[in-house]
């Protein structure tokens, strides 16, 4: 019998059925357009024009592979990356691993709450501390939707915010389109001096966020379970046994609540949907990042101050007018609100998988909100806080990337759906590049 592989497309996936399986990657993609990316993209365009377009393209290709591997783990095994690690580590190891992941989750939350606070300040003049509190409260409402209405509704809310930030960040291009020839020229890999090297390294090194890796496997796992329940319910309603749908022998009513593991044909169909989901979501997120760079390259060349979000907003307003600046602020607000909700969700999944303790999303929201509000209250530069949060995130990259690549090659866990040789080589190459760049960025940050 032919061994099922990742690269063989599954047949028979109807377009309408495919659409119902999309969503998890769009939630994870929020990590790629969070407030921490805004200043870097605008600075790259303002200082070097179209030179570094290729960096964002390469970064997005790497992100597609990483997020697909995370989602595949959830689809094939029915477990998240934190759950698999929790099963393999000793008690002390689980606690230590959770501690570093929790610090990463808090750093993520700090960056995203600060981004929302800055957006409210830019749009309405709201003080930063009050803006941070408002951002936290709104994110709690979003998480309440997840708890009361389920994952699908939560995905819809977050994806809607993704659509809003896409419009907000890309609107300026319609008022002042970039030079198409220069854009194509920017796809040719090249650099221009030490500063461009550092900026390119920071853009590539901050490509993959640890919490997005942990969370995507959880989202994919829950989507499979939801899909199995829906399909079994339909089968029961039609009087069918539904063996092929969930791999079970009996179509009992309790199977609707606790479906069995998917059969290999179903896994192949789900992986097909997962590939479409990941590619579509990250092409959208990558396009938003590129759009920000193009906006700056076309309208802010040589402008100073774009290395802070406030400075970039002022530069956009003076160059393109208040309407575009308002749209940019709305996009930043949507980015902060969506990112902080997703970050809190990721933190809860990490704790559940590693410590086997499930804490209310709202309780986690309150706990992780406090450090961000305290830091805003100190009066420290928000841009500096964003930089520090990205440094902390860099520490967490190897702890997420390396286990993911190793586990998805494990035949004992994934069977015939484990990574093939080509996929594994590419995955290790991506992991090495991201880890090395993050180590380099940490060294440069601490040495000045």
């Amino acid at each position: 019998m032919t061994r099922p592989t990742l690269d063989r497309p599954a047949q028979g996936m109807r377009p309408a059925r495919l659409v119902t399986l999309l969503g998890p990657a769009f939630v994870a993609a929020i990590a790629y357009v969070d407030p921490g990316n805004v200043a870097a993209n605008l600075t790259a365009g303002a200082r070097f024009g179209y030179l570094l377009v290729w960096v964002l393209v390469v970064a997005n290709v790497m992100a597609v592979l990483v997020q697909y591997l995370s989602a595949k783990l959830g689809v094939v095994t029915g477990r998240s990356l934190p759950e698999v690690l929790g099963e393999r580590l000793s008690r002390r190891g689980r606690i230590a691993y959770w501690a570093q992941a929790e610090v990463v989750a808090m750093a993520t939350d700090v960056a995203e709450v600060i981004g929302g606070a800055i957006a409210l300040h830019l749009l309405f003049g709201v003080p930063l501390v009050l803006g941070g509190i408002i951002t936290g409260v709104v994110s709690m409402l979003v998480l309440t939707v997840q708890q009361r209405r389920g994952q699908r509704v939560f995905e819809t809310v977050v994806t809607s915010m993704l659509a809003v930030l896409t419009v907000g960040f890309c609107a300026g291009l319609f008022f002042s389109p970039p030079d198409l020839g220069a854009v194509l020229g920017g796809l040719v890999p090249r650099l221009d001096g030490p500063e461009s090297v550092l900026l390119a390294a920071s853009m590539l090194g901050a490509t993959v966020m640890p919490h997005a890796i942990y969370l995507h496997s959880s989202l994919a796992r829950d989507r499979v379970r939801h899909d199995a329940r829906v399909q079994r319910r339909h089968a029961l309603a039609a009087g069918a046994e539904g063996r092929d749908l969930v791999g079970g022998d009996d179509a009992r009513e309790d199977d609707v609540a606790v479906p069995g593991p998917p059969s290999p044909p179903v896994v192949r169909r789900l992986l097909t949907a997962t590939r479409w989901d990941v590619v579509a979501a990250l092409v959208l997120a990558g396009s938003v990042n590129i759009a920000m760079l193009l906006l700056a390259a076309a309208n802010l060349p040589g402008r100073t101050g774009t290395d802070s979000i406030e400075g970039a907003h002022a530069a956009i307003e003076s160059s393109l007018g208040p309407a575009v600046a308002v749209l940019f602020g709305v996009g930043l607000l949507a980015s902060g609100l969506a990112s902080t909700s997703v970050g809190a969700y990721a933190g809860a999944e990490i704790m559940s998988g590693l410590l086997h303790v499930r804490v209310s999303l709202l309780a986690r929201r309150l706990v992780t909100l406090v450090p961000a509000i305290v830091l805003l209250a100190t009066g420290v530069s928000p841009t500096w806080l964003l930089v520090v949060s990205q440094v902390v995130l860099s520490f967490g990259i190897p702890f997420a990337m390396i286990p993911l690549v190793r586990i998805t090659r494990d035949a004992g866990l994934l069977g015939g759906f484990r990574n093939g040789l080509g996929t594994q080589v590419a995955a290790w190459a991506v992991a090495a590049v991201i880890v090395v760049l993050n180590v380099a960025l940490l060294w440069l940050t601490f040495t000045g």
Side-chain angles (χ1 to χ4, degrees), residues 71 88 111 134 176 206 212 241 261 384 399 425 442 445 448:
R88 297 185 172 201
I134 293 172
S176 181
E241 291 183 357
W384 186 82
F399 293 98
V425 170
L442 289 173
T445 300

Side-chain angles (χ1 to χ4, degrees), residues 306-381:
T306 56
D307 52 351
S308 71
I309 293 178
E310 300 95 322
H313 179 267
I316 290 173
E317 184 173 22
S318 64
S319 298
L320 296 174
V324 175
V326 167
L327 289 172
F328 177 84
V330 170
L332 179 63
L333 180 59
S335 172
L337 293 175
S339 298
T340 192
S341 301
V342 171
Y345 193 175
E349 291 297 328
I350 291 168
M351 177 178 284
S352 175
L354 289 171
L355 299 186
H356 307 148
V357 174
R358 183 162 289 278
V359 177
S360 165
L361 284 173
L362 298 183
R364 277 201 58 87
R365 169 71 282 177
L366 285 173
V367 170
T368 56
L369 181 62
V370 171
I373 299 301
V374 170
L375 289 172
L376 283 173
T378 63
V380 177
S381 166

Side-chain angles (χ1 to χ4, degrees), residues 235-320:
L236 287 171
E241 291 183 357
R243 290 193 178 102
D244 181 60
L245 294 172
V246 295
D249 292 326
D250 299 310
R252 298 187 304 272
E253 183 64 31
D254 59 358
D255 286 331
V256 175
V258 187
S263 62
V266 173
V267 171
R268 284 193 290 272
R269 290 197 291 271
L270 291 171
L271 288 177
T272 296
T274 298
R275 284 190 285 272
W276 280 101
D277 191 31
V278 170
V279 171
L282 290 182
V283 165
L284 176 61
S287 298
V288 172
N289 283 320
I290 292 173
M292 284 189 276
L293 186 150
L294 298 182
L295 178 68
N299 301 282
L300 310 178
R303 295 291 297 267
T304 59
T306 56
D307 52 351
S308 71
I309 293 178
E310 300 95 322
H313 179 267
I316 290 173
E317 184 173 22
S318 64
S319 298
L320 296 174

Side-chain angles (χ1 to χ4, degrees), residues 116-255:
I118 292 174
L120 288 171
H121 177 70
L122 294 175
L123 289 170
F124 308 109
V126 176
L128 288 176
V129 174
L130 179 57
I133 294 173
I134 293 172
T135 300
V137 170
V138 174
S139 68
M140 289 176 69
L141 295 176
V142 175
L143 293 171
T144 300
V145 169
Q146 193 279 335
Q147 289 193 319
R148 295 187 177 182
R149 303 296 299 274
Q151 180 181 333
R152 290 304 302 271
V153 178
F154 175 74
E155 288 174 1
T156 300
V157 171
V158 173
T159 302
S160 299
M161 291 185 182
L162 179 60
V164 171
L165 71 88
T166 299
V167 173
F169 288 147
C170 298
L173 294 179
F174 293 96
F175 292 87
S176 181
D179 182 338
L180 181 58
V183 173
L184 294 176
L187 296 175
V188 179
R190 64 193 191 282
L191 297 165
D192 182 18
E195 188 178 2
S196 69
V197 174
L198 178 60
L199 191 54
S202 65
M203 294 163 69
L204 276 171
T207 297
V208 178
M209 295 290 99
H211 71 288
I213 298 176
Y214 296 124
L215 179 61
H216 201 168
S217 58
S218 300
L219 294 169
R221 173 205 64 196
D222 293 342
R223 172 51 61 85
V224 170
R225 292 175 180 176
H226 171 80
D227 180 67
R229 291 188 184 102
V230 170
Q231 296 303 309
R232 175 57 65 89
R233 189 177 297 116
H234 289 167
L236 287 171
E241 291 183 357
R243 290 193 178 102
D244 181 60
L245 294 172
V246 295
D249 292 326
D250 299 310
R252 298 187 304 272
E253 183 64 31
D254 59 358
D255 286 331

